[in-house]
Amino acid sequence: MGSGHMPIGRRERAKQDKRERIMTAARELFAEYGVGGVTTQQIADRADVAIGTLYLYASTKAELLIMVQNEKFAAAIDDGLAAAKAAVGQGVLEPVVALIRPVVECVREHIENGRTYLHELTFGDPAEPYRQAGLALAGRLEDGVTGLLTHDDCIGAADAATLARVIAAIVHISTTATVYLHRSDEVVVADIRDQIHATLAPHRRAA
């Protein structure tokens, strides 16, 4: 008996190969020059595809950036969830910060790319497939924070979900605001930690 998996046809393999070449080219060029210093034609040239072919996979440079950053964002969330799990038992604050730290580092790895990515997710068309995927990742991050907050007996489920959205907003502003760009990742994470502590404090006092 067979394995149950249908073999991938030649056309599908060719499509996958082109997509991988485009992703690799976009990833390399964005890392080297930033999204503002790269054109779609340069990405097509490095991927060795026609510009029309590139547009079959992503119709704008912003979509190409989102494709690349979604991969990085997903990996950062995975790392954060693993770190948060390891920090469980240290209260609520430390696991939440452990979850957020890789995300902060991801967004700030290349400041221009990270800021543009979050701007596109926030203000771009939410029905566009790559933005949908990015927004789903943002939701996964919020869900992770929510789950950690519900470990605190002082925080109910509804409040935990609301607080997670507040914390996500704190992370967004702290990693993208121009006034904070000169800060190191450690300083940014420490400031986010202080803001989260202040945000959670009223719930603990009320309890």
Side-chain angles (χ1 to χ4, degrees):
M1 294 180 64
S3 64
H5 297 291
M6 293 291 292
I8 299 176
R10 182 179 300 176
R11 171 180 279 186
E12 190 60 32
R13 288 199 304 270
K15 288 173 62 178
Q16 289 182 358
D17 176 65
K18 287 177 183 177
R19 186 182 187 281
E20 285 302 315
R21 297 208 313 267
I22 290 168
M23 284 288 289
T24 299
R27 188 183 304 112
E28 292 173 351
L29 286 168
F30 289 147
E32 290 175 33
Y33 304 109
V35 63
V38 177
T39 66
T40 51
Q41 184 64 61
Q42 288 173 316
I43 295 172
D45 290 344
R46 181 169 292 197
D48 194 24
V49 299
I51 190 69
T53 299
L54 182 145
Y55 288 144
L56 294 176
Y57 293 85
S59 60
T60 65
K61 184 169 65 172
E63 288 181 15
L64 285 167
L65 177 68
I66 294 168
M67 289 169 64
V68 169
Q69 290 296 123
N70 278 351
E71 289 188 351
K72 294 177 178 289
F73 194 22
I77 294 170
D78 287 341
D79 290 344
L81 289 170
K85 184 177 180 180
V88 168
Q90 302 178 35
V92 171
L93 180 59
E94 296 310 321
V96 170
V97 174
L99 168 55
I100 287 169
R101 183 183 298 274
V103 173
V104 171
E105 293 170 352
C106 170
V107 173
R108 290 173 55 85
E109 179 182 14
H110 191 295
I111 292 293
E112 181 191 8
N113 294 345
R115 295 176 82 193
T116 304
Y117 173 65
L118 292 183
H119 178 86
E120 288 291 336
L121 290 189
T122 303
F123 299 105
D125 180 5
E128 190 277 317
Y130 299 124
R131 287 186 178 86
Q132 281 187 343
L135 291 170
L137 290 171
R140 184 175 174 229
L141 177 63
E142 286 189 21
D143 289 345
V145 175
T146 300
L148 294 171
L149 293 178
T150 56
H151 291 166
D152 191 324
D153 293 337
C154 303
I155 302 174
D159 283 344
T162 300
L163 288 167
R165 293 181 63 192
V166 172
I167 290 169
I170 290 171
V171 173
H172 190 137
I173 295 298
S174 299
T175 55
T176 62
T178 304
V179 69
Y180 302 138
L181 295 187
H182 68 284
R183 294 179 170 181
S184 68
D185 289 352
E186 285 302 317
V187 171
V188 170
V189 171
D191 182 51
I192 290 173
R193 185 185 189 281
D194 290 343
Q195 292 184 68
I196 295 173
H197 176 74
T199 301
L200 299 180
H203 290 267
R204 304 195 67 83
R205 286 198 297 268

